[in-house]
Amino acid sequence: MPHERAYRRSLADEVAIDFPSSRAAIEYFRRDHVEPEPSASSVSAEITIAAEQALFGGLVALNVDVPRTCVHCGGRGEVWSDHCEACDGRGQALQRQHLTVHVPAGAADGDRFSFTLWLPRSPRTRVDVRVRLR
């Protein structure tokens, strides 16, 4: 029975460790394998270009704020048992993303196009772009 006594003693010395919850993993699985594409978050942006650039098309810089998994709480919305202040408990925070998009030749004022952006540590995000001519 000395082995049983040592076992009981080892359990008495346990330390509470906060393991990541499975909620974030389930949400990632659901996002990637179960839910259809329309559940992606959506961001609107506007590109202002010169009429000459719209006529010939080309590459244009675009900055959009994209939801990303909070690096402080790992998407849980809490740090240990406290509310995550960095993301306000949402598990996601907006991060500015610098993109280069191709405006097709012959674009007119008010034309719209969209694309899906999928970055590491972020949900799929649909970016709706509106072309504005100067």
Side-chain angles (χ1 to χ4, degrees):
M1 303 277 205
H3 137 299
E4 194 173 306
R5 225 176 290 129
Y7 178 73
R8 276 193 220 129
R9 219 174 324 129
S10 69
L11 289 179
D13 295 335
E14 285 187 21
V15 176
I17 298 175
D18 185 32
F19 290 100
S21 68
S22 60
R23 180 180 56 162
I26 291 169
E27 288 175 7
Y28 289 136
F29 178 81
R30 186 177 295 131
R31 178 198 72 199
D32 294 341
H33 302 290
V34 178
E35 293 180 357
E37 183 65 27
S39 68
S41 59
S42 181
V43 174
S44 296
E46 187 171 276
I47 295 177
T48 303
I49 58 175
E52 181 179 292
Q53 191 176 14
L55 179 64
F56 297 109
L59 300 175
V60 178
L62 175 67
N63 296 318
V64 293
D65 292 328
V66 194
R68 305 280 308 256
T69 301
C70 178
V71 296
H72 298 283
C73 66
R76 293 182 53 215
E78 59 184 30
V79 179
W80 292 94
S81 60
D82 297 330
H83 183 76
C84 179
E85 293 181 20
C87 66
D88 198 29
R90 291 186 308 266
Q92 291 184 345
L94 293 178
Q95 182 178 4
R96 178 136 320 234
Q97 188 68 39
H98 306 286
L99 306 171
T100 303
V101 295
H102 181 266
V103 176
D109 189 46
D111 280 359
R112 296 175 183 267
F113 62 94
S114 65
F115 56 91
T116 301
L117 184 64
W118 191 12
L119 301 169
R121 298 183 51 92
S122 70
R124 288 183 180 136
T125 304
R126 179 188 168 124
V127 180
D128 296 312
V129 181
R130 182 170 188 235
V131 177
R132 175 78 65 189
L133 297 184
R134 295 187 225 144

